[in-house]
Amino acid sequence: MDKYYVDFKEGEIPKYITIAKHIKKLIDGNKLEDGEKLPSIRSLAILLEVNNVTIVNAYKKLQGDGYAFQKMGSGTYAKRKDINKSFKKEYSEVLKKIAGERLKEYIDFTGETPFSNFFPVASFKDVLNEVLDRDGAEALVYQEALGYEGLRKSISEVFWQDRVHSDDILIVSGAQQGIDIISKALINNNDTVVVEKPTYSGALSVFKWRRADILELPIEKDGVDVEKFEKLLKKNKIKCFYTMSYFQNPTGMTYSIEKKEKILRLAEIYDFYIIEDDYLSELIYDESIEYKSFKSLDKNDRVIYIKSFSKIFLPGIRIGYLIAPLKFKESIQNSKVNTDISTSSLMQRALDLYIKEGRWKEYINNLKLVYKERYILMEKYLRKYLGDKVSFISPGGGLHFYLKINNSNEVDSIELFRKAKEKKVLITPGTLFYKVPSDGREYFRIGFSQADENSMEKGVKIIGNILE
C-alpha cells in the first residue's frame, strides 16, 4: 500500500485530482500492472486520511481518463492506456499542422537532418546541369534494378576503397526503405528480431508490421550489454539484430570497436545477421571516436549494411544504399524491385558526379565545422539552463542529445512536449522510441540541426523554466 501514499501540497488542486494523477504515474511507470486491482475506497481513504467521496471522485476520474475500469461488486482495476498509439498520432498531427511557413514561428528541436540553408544549392545545380548536358534524356529514364552503375562504382571506390564490389551495392530510396526491403526479404511472421532499447521508431514500425517477435536490449554508453545479449541468444533463436552503430537514434551512443567484434562473434556462433544502420557517422566531433563500421570488421558475411545520403545531405534527394551478404543478395534485390523498381535516375547520376568531383568530401568537411560549433554550444546551454533537472551523456558527434528528466515525478516528457509547444518550442518525447512506450516517459530528444545560436539558448531556457 505504500506506493499509493500521496504527499498533498497546499494549493488550489483538489485532492482527488492529485490522487488520480499519482495513480496514473504508477500505471505509466509499470508500478501497477494492467488489470491489477486498486485498493478499496475505504482502505485508501484511511491511508491518505481523506473521506470516501474523495477516493470515489479520484476513481471516477481515472475511469473517465481511460486509466481504470470497474467490475460490479468486485472493485476498481488499473488499465494501461496505449499511449504510443494516441500520442504518436498527436505528435504527428502537431508537426503536420505547423509545417511549412508556420514552423518558422517555432524553435524546432525535432530535426534529424542538417539545416537546408547549409545545402550547396548552386554547386548541386551545376552538377545537375552537367549531367543533363552529358547524358540528355537518358538521365531521366529508369536505371537497372541495382541502381546507376556509375554511382555504385563511386560508392565502392570512395567509401569502401574497392573492398566491396559495385555489383554487391544496391541503391535504395533512403534508410527507411532499406529497412523495409530487408524485412520483406528476411523476416517472416513470428521471427525474432533484437533491437536496441530505445531505438529508431521507423524500424520498430517495420518490424511490428512484419509481425516479428521484438526483443529489446538496453543500450549503454558503448553499445548493448554483450553478456545480456548472449544470455538472450541462449534462450531464443533470433533472425537478426538491428543496430545504429554511430550516434544511435535517439540516445546518441556509439559502439566501441571491442563490442562490435564481440557481437560479430556472437552472430557467427548463434547464426544471426546484423542489420547495421550507419547513421550520421560522418559527423564525428570527438577525435577519440574511431570510425570502423560493423561491415568493415565483418569477416563472415554477417552484416547487412544500410547507409542513407538523405540524412546527411538533403532529405528530398532520397538516396541511400545497402550491401547484403551473398546469402540474401538475390532475395533483397528482388524485394527492392517489387517495392519500387528504381530510385531517381537523375539524382543518382548527379550524386555520382558530386562524389567523383570531390564536392561531397568538401561539403561534409564544412558541415562538420558548422555542427561541431553548434554541438559545443548546445552542450553548454544544456548544462547552464537545465543543470541538475536532467542528466545526459555527451555523444561526441551527430545532431542531437538524449536527456533524462530527473524530476520525473513532477513532469514527464509528454507533458513537457505539450507545455513546450505552447511556448513555441518543439522537442521529441522518448515514448516514441520504445516497444513499451511508458518506458520512455522520463526521456526526450533535443536536436540542434534546425536552430541557430540564439534560438538554441532561448529554447533551452524555456525548457528549463518548464522543468522548474
Side-chain angles (χ1 to χ4, degrees), residues 369-419:
L369 289 173
V370 170
Y371 277 116
K372 184 174 182 179
E373 286 183 9
R374 288 195 179 195
Y375 168 83
I376 292 167
L377 275 173
M378 179 58 91
E379 184 176 18
K380 173 187 165 185
Y381 295 145
L382 292 175
R383 297 194 188 283
K384 182 177 179 180
Y385 297 113
L386 301 189
D388 59 2
K389 302 180 190 76
V390 301
S391 54
F392 65 92
I393 296 171
S394 299
L399 294 172
H400 62 267
F401 289 83
Y402 195 57
L403 312 169
K404 182 179 182 181
I405 303 170
N406 291 335
N407 64 334
S408 55
N409 289 331
E410 299 298 327
V411 180
D412 67 22
S413 63
I414 290 180
E415 192 175 353
L416 178 62
F417 167 78
R418 290 170 179 157
K419 288 184 175 182

Side-chain angles (χ1 to χ4, degrees), residues 258 260-270 300:
E258 182 187 9
K260 286 175 187 168
E261 289 173 337
K262 285 180 179 178
I263 291 169
L264 283 164
R265 282 197 291 273
L266 290 179
E268 184 66 13
I269 294 166
Y270 293 96
N300 298 303

Side-chain angles (χ1 to χ4, degrees), residues 50-276:
V50 297
N51 60 46
N52 288 357
V53 174
T54 300
I55 305 301
V56 169
N57 288 336
Y59 282 1
K60 279 183 179 177
K61 177 159 180 57
L62 287 169
Q63 289 174 59
D65 292 345
Y67 275 88
F69 62 95
Q70 194 174 36
K71 290 183 182 178
M72 291 302 292
S74 177
T76 305
Y77 294 79
K79 180 181 179 184
R80 180 161 292 130
K81 293 183 74 177
D82 187 351
I83 60 169
N84 198 35
K85 269 189 180 176
S86 57
F87 179 71
K88 200 171 184 181
K89 185 179 179 184
E90 176 189 340
Y91 179 78
S92 178
E93 286 176 353
V94 165
L95 295 191
K96 283 178 188 174
K97 193 175 179 181
I98 61 178
E101 286 299 309
R102 277 203 67 197
L103 190 57
K104 293 177 182 177
E105 302 170 17
Y106 289 77
I107 297 171
D108 182 13
F109 290 144
T110 65
E112 297 178 60
T113 56
F115 192 33
S116 58
N117 285 11
F118 297 150
F119 182 70
V121 175
S123 175
F124 199 69
K125 183 180 177 183
D126 290 343
V127 170
L128 282 170
N129 288 333
E130 195 175 335
V131 168
L132 289 168
D133 289 342
R134 183 192 71 190
D135 300 343
E138 191 180 340
L140 304 173
V141 300
Y142 281 133
Q143 294 300 325
E144 61 269 35
L146 290 180
Y148 177 54
E149 186 179 8
L151 177 57
R152 289 187 283 113
K153 285 182 175 178
S154 289
I155 290 169
S156 172
E157 181 183 337
V158 175
F159 301 117
W160 294 93
Q161 291 75 50
D162 292 322
R163 293 194 306 271
V164 174
H165 196 279
S166 61
D167 286 347
D168 295 329
I169 294 169
L170 176 66
I171 304 299
V172 294
S173 300
Q176 182 68 33
Q177 189 192 54
I179 297 166
D180 184 59
I181 288 166
I182 292 164
S183 296
K184 286 176 180 175
L186 268 69
I187 300 169
N188 298 311
N189 193 5
N190 294 327
D191 279 346
T192 301
V193 176
V194 174
V195 300
E196 296 151 342
K197 180 183 181 181
T199 191
Y200 170 49
S201 58
L204 274 178
S205 297
V206 170
F207 299 142
K208 285 178 181 177
W209 179 74
R210 293 299 295 172
R211 296 187 177 180
D213 182 16
I214 302 170
L215 302 179
E216 295 176 303
L217 275 174
I219 190 161
E220 302 174 329
K221 189 175 180 179
D222 60 346
V224 296
D225 186 316
V226 177
E227 288 183 9
K228 285 183 180 177
F229 198 174
E230 185 157 23
K231 285 178 184 176
L232 183 150
L233 290 166
K234 286 176 179 177
K235 294 179 181 178
N236 303 272
K237 172 63 180 169
I238 79 160
K239 193 69 165 281
C240 55
F241 166 52
Y242 171 75
T243 178
M244 305 178 90
S245 48
Y246 282 84
F247 314 122
Q248 195 253 12
N249 186 11
T251 65
M253 298 299 98
T254 292
Y255 279 74
S256 65
I257 292 173
E258 182 187 9
K259 276 201 174 177
K260 286 175 187 168
E261 289 173 337
K262 285 180 179 178
I263 291 169
L264 283 164
R265 282 197 291 273
L266 290 179
E268 184 66 13
I269 294 166
Y270 293 96
D271 189 23
F272 67 89
Y273 290 83
I274 298 165
I275 302 173
E276 180 180 19

